[in-house]
Amino acid sequence: MPKTQPAFSFPAHDHHAGENVTVAVDPYDTPAKENIFVVKYREHDLLPLLLIITNDSDGPIQLTNMKAELVTADRTKLIPDSEDDIFRRISHPNASGTHYPVPFPTKKAKGGVNSKEMNEIQSAQFRAKAVEPRSSQIGFLIFDVSDIPNPLAGARFYLTGVRNSSGNDLMYFEVPLDKYLESGKQR
């Protein structure tokens, strides 16, 4: 996992001054950034987004009902893939041997996810259920961006379902990813 930094230090962020909460995303869309992973997500048309939530308020915030969505420039709405979706995507099982018109077992399918990949996917996922006062939580959300030529240009990341310690919803967070592209930090 990358080192935890406050969300406002990332170019693509949304700060709610009244609630003292900041949400940022940092796409891992380049070969240089992708080097921290064992899995080569770009080769599988997957886009890892590092989600950073910083709580500078005096009370904790709840994330148990949090919903994330990436909306591309052409209004395609993407939700983060589950672990099982990611495992299926990177395993690419291929049956070897002769193919017969009648479906009966021939040879075992090759493919699968090795233990290093499985551990990485499980440990990298954003799993926080709360953010304590004056602290941050980070983790990755993985999006399937197959058939989307440039998923970040003009895209917006939305986060809803974040609640204060009283159980009241905070205003939704909207992070324009053009800020990230304009900053030049994708290299």
Side-chain angles (χ1 to χ4, degrees), residues 37 44 51 160 187:
F37 297 118
H44 301 287
L51 173 62
T160 59
R187 289 177 181 71

Side-chain angles (χ1 to χ4, degrees), residues 68-82:
E69 187 176 63
L70 180 65
V71 180
T72 64
D74 69 353
R75 304 272 187 245
T76 302
K77 295 180 180 180
L78 307 171
I79 59 170
D81 283 357
S82 69

